[in-house]
Amino acid sequence: MKETGEHVQVDFRTEPSRYKHWRLELDGRVATLRMDVREDGGLQPGYELKLNSYDLGVDIELYDAVQRLRFEHPEVGAVVLTSAKERVFCAGANIRMLGRSSHAWKVNFCKFTNETRNAIEEASAESGQSWLCAVNGPCAGGGYELALACQHIVMADDGNTSVALPEVPLLAVLPGTGGLTRLIDKRKVRRDRADYFCTLEEGVKGKRAVEWNLVDEVVPRTKLEETARRRASELAARSDRPADARGVALPPLERRVDGDRVAYRWVTCAIERGRGVAEITVAAPDAGPPPDPAGVQAQGAAFWPLAVARELDDLILHLRANEEAIGLWVLKTSGSADLVEAYDRLLDQHAGHWLVREVRLYLRRTLKRLDVTSRSLFALIEPGSCFAGTLLELALAADRSYMLAGTREGESAPPATLRLTAVNFGAYPMPNGLSRLASRFLAEPGRVDDLKGRLGQDLDAAAAAEAGLVTFTPDDIEWGDEVRIALEALTGMEASLRFGGPETLETKIFARLSAWQNWIFQRPNAVGAKGALQVYGTGQRAEFDPRRV
Amino acid sequence: MKETGEHVQVDFRTEPSRYKHWRLELDGRVATLRMDVREDGGLQPGYELKLNSYDLGVDIELYDAVQRLRFEHPEVGAVVLTSAKERVFCAGANIRMLGRSSHAWKVNFCKFTNETRNAIEEASAESGQSWLCAVNGPCAGGGYELALACQHIVMADDGNTSVALPEVPLLAVLPGTGGLTRLIDKRKVRRDRADYFCTLEEGVKGKRAVEWNLVDEVVPRTKLEETARRRASELAARSDRPADARGVALPPLERRVDGDRVAYRWVTCAIERGRGVAEITVAAPDAGPPPDPAGVQAQGAAFWPLAVARELDDLILHLRANEEAIGLWVLKTSGSADLVEAYDRLLDQHAGHWLVREVRLYLRRTLKRLDVTSRSLFALIEPGSCFAGTLLELALAADRSYMLAGTREGESAPPATLRLTAVNFGAYPMPNGLSRLASRFLAEPGRVDDLKGRLGQDLDAAAAAEAGLVTFTPDDIEWGDEVRIALEALTGMEASLRFGGPETLETKIFARLSAWQNWIFQRPNAVGAKGALQVYGTGQRAEFDPRRV
């Protein structure tokens, strides 16, 4: 956790029976998720999680709850997020934890918490599962950012309860989990009010909070639960989720770690520590898909697209948190394009079915995680690979791709090919709202339409290059040197070139705010020996260098 | 220049007879600006400007040339930017200079160079003065970013000439002057090609540069000048600038510095060093406007709106570069709203006249400089102030505003009022493309239309608050405490909340890329003792920490 690079290995897998910090209550169409952070339940030693403040461990459980509500509880049309504590909603990210953490840990922590807030918003917008927030006590910093991710915020109107983004006055950092963007772009709070609000340690309460659109409504403390429940029922009544469907259980994900190799059922990863490279291989299914959504439901978590999403998701989170020095991820695939295409057809034809929709959205979120990952991503497309449809998205998510032209001397495998399926044309939009194909062809949008004429065709290296789908197509003789040089070259563009075109709340949050966060977490005013983040809670006064850039 | 805070005072005022680094040639409708950087002409001691590399001093002259071409040369419809050196176009920002500079200096340098590139693009897009670039030798980093700001890039097709963004492989920093954004958003270079391109020290030349859209055309070295000249003539022929108008000379700007007071004709600034506050006051004109554009032409640089733009522009640049510790700028005005309104009417009625257009665009650029300035901006609206029309934009640009309700005890001045004029509704868009009014009312766009009904009215504090135009309206009794507390509070939101709504090339460059720059210029891989930026040119090898966030 410190700059020494030593911190506990983080495991992102959990389940409700192991939750330390949240209580999930199910009651028909409405679920209630109560934040009840255990002070001594920190992921790392050295800090206490007072006042419902959170660390990565708290957020891992929240993420798990978001996932399970979507897959295991099709009947839930609305989720009330509130605090189980008597006198506080949530004090935000734990300051002691931040003060002790390395720069990379802080930024990575913020990235993950941002992704979970985005998933909450996606549930409200796309999944018929609306989140609303009942603010029943002081709600500050990351606590308010959590509220901001909800579709509706109802707040108790008492002397104690307020919303606040006190990061600047208290800590000399900026809110790191989308707070500023959601304030001015989602809730469209007038910028001068937002400016003032962000300098108030004590925040804003009561009528002014409604007038400034910081919350949607305030009610007397005694009416808070009832009001939240009523609003939730109203939202749930508008949900298209089936009240009577059976959910899909998400059993513990099996992962085998063997030295520098991590293996799941469909996804494997081999780390070459010397070169700083992780080779990630995703395998196509080994049998055809079930005939219909009922069959998907019967397969449950074993349904290949869902299994791949879970495994890849876990691997991305594992590598980001636990393998900071692995700067280049090489993406590979294997197996049968016909089978992937068959699965994609099912995903496409039944896109409106609640479970199929959830699987598609989960794949979309997982692919977005790749998009915002601060690692170089290369795809290697070789004989035996299977870059088709859903798996082709991996090559399109990569910063660049190398496709072997022709065969390898002494090998019998036929030349590599790519195959487009319907899902490549919009099922998995990037954070900028465009498909990866549309992002790729910003200069010539017509090419995306042309490519629809090539759906289902096997495109060899020449055809793929002609179609603009790959970066380089060396032959067997050139391959060794070209790929070796590419893997050894200094990269580090990180996500800088991935988001051409339109901006969305998400791209603003990741491209702009994360960048600010990168800066602000370096600033001596925050992290210097006398920085606000370091001396917080010690009784010492922070020293500020007033110079600006 | 070093972190000690000591560097030479920078003066942004210059004129062609004093240029060290550029040669401006005028030939009818086409001007040619040749970069000819004097190696020993650095703004600070300690580095040599080899290979047409630049420092702030070089860019100050470029900015001056951009301004003069627009005001002094109405006949110029196209500008060819090229190098006067035999074997190099431009090697970009000087690395030794960057290596020796403080963080704030680097970021501020990049901000200014970005603004100048934006002004070049604005000239092409709005002013009938198209810039094109003739790349006649290696063109790297900031050199290529300069080319990217031009509307058309023609490159010599020889063994020597290429375009490159080698910042990452050479220096472990990212291009800081809009290169990445212009690559993928303006020129829409395919993202995988952009990724590869950004890792090539040697860059890309010849046909591939055209194929990847890095340049618009390549021609044999011997045809370069001729081709550039022909393209320029074609662009100039389409210009609406008058071939026979007389330009407006921009004489040296008079500035008196007296201790902590800086005074121009219409703009004054008083620095309170103890509080870190600069009080900037802009005075309204003291007489009515000329009757028509001919009268504007006759007044020349003395024309009030032009004089105010020049003075405010210079002051902003002065404070940013030379007063880093002054973190809060308080904006004030004085004088007659009727006179400002009369000037605004002239600016509005003759918006199509070349000179009036230039004045409006210059005011727009100057107000944009405020928008991207990393200082807190407060407006104080008091009896005797003149926040009307063009000057009202200062209050709308501020992060917040305090307007005194009623009169001051013992003073005879009538209560402060605001006045909207036509220019508030679109003449001066922010970097996000919206007027400051539209940015303010993102949540309720209808309010902007409603305000058109109040054009020309004097709005007192109650009416201004009701209309949403000001943040707070304390009365005489409340004023002292409220304003004092506001001035003393820790701010530091910088530009984070100023750009809700749509994104443009400019907002991406400033909000995203400058933020990245803030980060990248902090990274030990660049600025650590063995960082690439520090050891560049010493023969030592940089040491990289491969860890990512």
Side-chain angles (χ1 to χ4, degrees), chain A residues 460-475:
Chain A
D460 65 13
E466 175 67 29
L469 293 171
V470 293
T471 319
F472 298 109
T473 53
D475 64 19

Side-chain angles (χ1 to χ4, degrees), chain B residues 241-546:
Chain B
R241 291 172 74 88
D244 52 357
R246 198 162 38 85
V248 164
L250 302 176
L253 198 59
E254 284 186 43
R255 180 171 78 186
R256 295 178 306 285
V257 178
D258 177 11
D260 286 336
R261 196 178 149 81
V262 185
Y264 308 82
R265 171 71 182 88
W266 305 102
V267 177
T268 54
C269 172
I271 292 174
E272 284 188 74
R273 224 163 275 287
R275 295 198 300 170
V277 173
E279 196 175 281
I280 299 169
T281 306
V282 183
D286 53 7
D292 53 27
V296 175
Q297 189 112 13
Q299 292 193 357
F303 180 57
W304 176 80
L306 176 53
V308 164
R310 291 186 75 203
E311 295 176 8
L312 197 53
D313 192 21
D314 188 69
L315 179 66
I316 293 169
L317 294 173
H318 165 71
L319 290 176
R320 277 199 209 156
N322 299 318
E323 297 288 355
E324 286 174 11
I326 306 303
L328 172 60
W329 295 358
V330 171
L331 304 171
K332 303 174 94 169
T333 54
S334 67
S336 155
D338 290 340
L339 292 175
V340 173
E341 188 176 6
Y343 273 88
D344 283 354
R345 202 172 301 121
L346 176 75
L347 292 177
D348 195 52
Q349 284 171 350
H350 299 283
H353 182 268
W354 80 269
L355 177 55
V356 175
R357 177 171 71 186
E358 285 306 333
V359 172
R360 288 166 58 112
L361 290 172
Y362 191 13
L363 281 165
R364 166 169 136 178
R365 292 195 298 282
T366 303
L367 289 163
K368 280 184 183 177
R369 276 210 212 275
L370 274 183
D371 295 328
V372 302
T373 290
S374 296
R375 301 289 196 282
S376 301
L377 307 174
F378 289 1
L380 296 190
I381 306 167
E382 298 167 272
S385 69
C386 176
F387 285 96
T390 293
L391 295 187
L392 176 59
E393 290 292 313
L394 297 172
L396 298 173
D399 296 314
R400 55 177 110 147
S401 53
Y402 293 82
M403 182 169 186
L404 185 87
T407 56
R408 284 218 165 94
E409 205 188 315
E411 286 183 14
S412 61
T417 55
L418 303 181
R419 194 185 295 181
L420 292 157
T421 74
V423 300
N424 299 121
F425 296 84
Y428 311 123
M430 297 176 64
N432 64 4
L434 301 182
S435 70
R436 285 178 188 77
L437 281 180
S439 285
R440 189 170 185 83
F441 298 115
L442 279 179
E444 303 160 278
R447 292 187 77 150
V448 179
D449 286 327
D450 294 346
L451 285 170
K452 286 186 182 151
R454 315 203 67 172
L455 269 166
Q457 297 176 14
D458 283 321
L459 306 174
D460 65 12
E466 174 68 30
L469 292 171
V470 293
T471 319
F472 299 109
T473 53
D475 63 19
D476 189 26
I477 295 165
E478 300 156 337
W479 180 270
D481 273 357
E482 195 161 331
V483 171
R484 181 184 52 74
I485 290 167
L487 298 189
E488 283 172 4
L490 175 71
T491 52
M493 296 306 298
E494 306 190 333
S496 304
L497 294 168
R498 292 184 193 148
F499 302 104
E503 292 267 353
T504 64
L505 217 61
E506 286 182 52
T507 58
K508 284 192 178 187
I509 286 170
F510 286 111
R512 170 190 291 200
L513 198 140
S514 306
W516 272 110
Q517 204 64 26
N518 255 323
W519 149 235
I520 211 88
F521 277 150
Q522 296 274 352
R523 208 151 75 148
N525 283 357
V527 298
K530 298 274 186 176
L533 204 52
Q534 300 307 315
V535 305
Y536 183 81
T538 62
Q540 290 177 64
R541 204 182 154 83
E543 280 176 19
F544 293 113
D545 179 341

Side-chain angles (χ1 to χ4, degrees), chain A residues 2-6 102-105 107-108 111 168-172 174-175 180-181 183-185 187-199 208 212-213 320 324-328 371 374-378 396-402 430 436 439-444 447 465 467-472 489-503 507-508 510-512 515-516 518-520 522-524 544 546-549, chain B residues 2-5 102-105 107-108 111 168-172 174-175 180-181 183-185 187-199 208 212-213 320 324-328 371 374-378 396-402 430 436 439-444 447 465 467-472 489-503 507-508 510-512 514-516 518-520 522-524 544 546-549:
Chain A
K2 299 298 276 179
E3 287 289 1
T4 58
E6 286 182 23
S102 70
H103 177 70
W105 180 276
V107 173
N108 207 27
K111 185 166 284 176
V168 167
L170 276 185
L171 304 169
L174 292 172
L180 301 184
T181 302
L183 210 56
I184 59 171
D185 272 312
R187 300 193 65 96
K188 298 185 169 58
V189 174
R190 221 174 67 197
R191 49 174 281 211
D192 56 337
R193 291 169 167 172
D195 177 73
Y196 178 70
F197 172 64
C198 290
T199 60
R208 177 178 262 188
W212 288 15
N213 202 33
R320 279 199 209 155
E324 286 175 10
I326 306 302
L328 174 59
D371 295 328
S374 297
R375 302 289 196 280
S376 301
L377 308 173
F378 288 1
L396 298 174
D399 297 313
R400 54 176 110 146
S401 53
Y402 292 83
M430 298 176 64
R436 286 177 188 77
S439 285
R440 189 171 184 83
F441 297 116
L442 278 179
E444 303 161 279
R447 292 188 77 152
L469 293 171
V470 293
T471 319
F472 298 109
L490 176 70
T491 52
M493 297 305 299
E494 306 192 333
S496 304
L497 295 168
R498 292 184 193 148
F499 302 104
E503 292 268 351
T507 59
K508 284 192 177 185
F510 285 112
R512 170 191 291 201
W516 271 111
N518 256 324
W519 149 235
I520 210 89
Q522 296 273 351
R523 208 150 76 145
F544 293 114
R547 284 179 299 164
R548 306 285 187 104
V549 298
Chain B
K2 300 297 275 179
E3 289 286 3
T4 57
S102 70
H103 176 70
W105 180 276
V107 173
N108 208 26
K111 185 166 283 175
V168 167
L170 276 185
L171 305 169
L174 292 171
L180 301 184
T181 302
L183 210 56
I184 59 171
D185 271 312
R187 300 194 65 94
K188 298 186 168 58
V189 173
R190 221 174 67 199
R191 49 174 281 210
D192 55 337
R193 290 169 169 171
D195 177 74
Y196 179 69
F197 172 65
C198 290
T199 59
R208 177 178 264 190
W212 287 15
N213 203 34
R320 277 199 209 156
E324 286 174 11
I326 306 303
L328 172 60
D371 295 328
S374 296
R375 301 289 196 282
S376 301
L377 307 174
F378 289 1
L396 298 173
D399 296 314
R400 55 177 110 147
S401 53
Y402 293 82
M430 297 176 64
R436 285 178 188 77
S439 285
R440 189 170 185 83
F441 298 115
L442 279 179
E444 303 160 278
R447 292 187 77 150
L469 292 171
V470 293
T471 319
F472 299 109
L490 175 71
T491 52
M493 296 306 298
E494 306 190 333
S496 304
L497 294 168
R498 292 184 193 148
F499 302 104
E503 292 267 353
T507 58
K508 284 192 178 187
F510 286 111
R512 170 190 291 200
S514 306
W516 272 110
N518 255 323
W519 149 235
I520 211 88
Q522 296 274 352
R523 208 151 75 148
F544 293 113
R547 285 178 300 164
R548 305 286 186 104
V549 298

Side-chain angles (χ1 to χ4, degrees), chain A residues 381-385 403-404 406 414-418 459-461:
Chain A
I381 305 167
E382 299 168 272
S385 69
M403 182 170 187
L404 186 88
T417 55
L418 302 183
L459 307 175
D460 65 13

Side-chain angles (χ1 to χ4, degrees), chain B residues 11-248:
Chain B
D11 193 334
F12 288 82
R13 297 170 301 175
T14 187
E15 57 188 308
S17 68
R18 292 165 56 202
Y19 288 179
K20 293 179 186 171
H21 308 295
W22 297 89
R23 301 203 323 248
L24 182 57
E25 294 161 15
L26 297 157
D27 182 9
R29 296 287 273 169
V30 174
T32 303
L33 187 63
R34 292 182 202 276
M35 190 176 201
D36 193 11
V37 178
R38 229 176 72 189
E39 287 197 8
D40 64 353
L43 189 64
Q44 321 248 7
Y47 52 86
E48 290 184 328
L49 296 173
K50 297 194 177 181
L51 298 171
N52 258 2
S53 63
Y54 61 88
D55 70 353
L56 181 59
V58 177
D59 233 71
I60 287 171
E61 293 181 6
L62 172 62
Y63 173 57
D64 187 73
V66 174
Q67 290 288 103
R68 287 180 196 280
L69 279 162
R70 293 174 75 164
F71 280 99
E72 299 188 345
H73 303 286
E75 77 285 3
V76 171
V79 182
V80 176
L81 180 69
T82 192
S83 163
K85 307 284 189 203
E86 195 52 43
R87 308 217 17 100
V88 68
F89 176 81
C90 169
N94 186 274
I95 308 305
R96 289 290 182 93
M97 176 278 292
L98 287 175
R100 296 168 49 92
S101 300
S102 70
H103 176 70
W105 180 276
K106 288 196 284 272
V107 173
N108 208 26
F109 165 69
C110 286
K111 185 166 283 175
F112 178 73
T113 58
N114 269 310
E115 288 171 318
T116 303
R117 281 58 195 155
N118 291 347
I120 287 174
E121 281 181 333
E122 192 206 59
S124 298
E126 312 256 0
S127 188
Q129 201 167 66
S130 298
W131 285 63
L132 58 89
C133 189
V135 180
N136 56 345
C139 172
Y144 181 44
E145 290 176 307
L146 194 50
L148 283 169
C150 296
Q151 198 177 341
H152 189 87
I153 307 173
V154 49
M155 181 166 77
D157 191 7
D158 59 25
N160 183 41
T161 301
S162 66
V163 292
L165 288 177
E167 282 85 344
V168 167
L170 276 185
L171 305 169
V173 302
L174 292 171
T177 320
L180 301 184
T181 302
R182 290 206 173 82
L183 210 56
I184 59 171
D185 271 312
K186 181 183 182 183
R187 300 194 65 94
K188 298 186 168 58
V189 173
R190 221 174 67 199
R191 49 174 281 210
D192 55 337
R193 290 169 169 171
D195 177 74
Y196 179 69
F197 172 65
C198 290
T199 59
L200 290 181
E201 280 183 41
E202 69 276 21
V204 169
K205 57 187 159 194
K207 282 202 196 74
R208 177 178 264 190
V210 178
E211 195 188 317
W212 287 15
N213 203 34
L214 300 169
V215 304
D216 294 290
E217 56 180 327
V218 290
V219 296
R221 185 70 161 89
T222 52
K223 306 262 188 198
L224 183 67
E225 285 255 348
E226 173 199 326
T227 305
R229 174 83 208 183
R230 194 171 62 242
R231 296 272 176 263
S233 298
E234 290 163 8
L235 287 167
R238 293 205 295 269
S239 171
D240 63 357
R241 291 172 74 88
D244 52 357
R246 198 162 38 85
V248 164

